[in-house]
Amino acid sequence: RNELYLQTLFLAKTVNGYGTQNCNLGDGSCPPSNDLSIEDQVHLSIKSSLHNLQTEYIDAVLIHNFRATLQPYDETILAWKALEDYVNRGVIRHLGIVSVHDKEYLTKLHDDAKIKPTIIQNRFHANRGYDISLRPMFKEMGMANQLFWILTGSAGGRVRKNDDVKAIADSKGVTPQILLYSFTMELGGTPLIGSKNINHMKEDVDALVTHRLKWEKKDLVTMANIINKKLIE
């Protein structure tokens, strides 16, 4: 078990994407009633995750927001405090949050939480400014910056058939896709890779972890100029 990193989400029933199809506890608690408090929703979610993942602890649980529609802060902090109890009991190791591009919201959560968020998971996309203005705050607060929509979002579209990107990728012996993943790591991010192809996964691990790509400043600047020049300043 210690060789696996298991991370899951808590979705409040008011969040787009909420569903009970994976709640199969067999003790009468599924499907849940419609009037569960936010705290009881957390308890059921964690109980269900432990059951489905067949584990006694979860490495990280993130509170989910759908895209950039933030849940009311009062609900988020209630859920957070319920999750903190699981951290105190060793059932959860780390807490985080998804799709927060609002500095005040994130600062308030950080200030109010007894157990500070260690993960912020946001899309890597032009319509969120690639979190350029927020990334220093993530670092200051000690939060790992997980990134999604890397290949399928605006950055992927800009580098996919770019000749300069292909030239850099060819010089490093990787695909433009792996090059983009590596670039986000140079920015301090952790790319979330959704491939279901085992060969692609092995290639990604080799280039991003086992033999991490080495970058020259000029290549970083070239990549930034293609995506958003303020990424490298």
Side-chain angles (χ1 to χ4, degrees), residues 11-21 32-34 36 41 44:
L11 276 75
K13 64 183 179 182
T14 53
V15 175
N16 191 312
Y18 170 83
T20 61
Q21 65 271 18
S33 65
N34 291 324
L36 287 183
Q41 291 176 54
L44 182 59

Side-chain angles (χ1 to χ4, degrees), residues 23-30 47 51:
C23 190
N24 302 299
L25 295 172
D27 60 1
S29 56
C30 301
K47 185 178 181 180
H51 176 269

Side-chain angles (χ1 to χ4, degrees), residues 9-11 40-50 58:
L9 302 176
F10 165 69
L11 276 75
D40 284 340
Q41 291 176 54
V42 168
H43 298 322
L44 182 59
S45 175
I46 299 305
K47 185 178 181 180
S48 179
S49 291
L50 291 170
I58 304 170

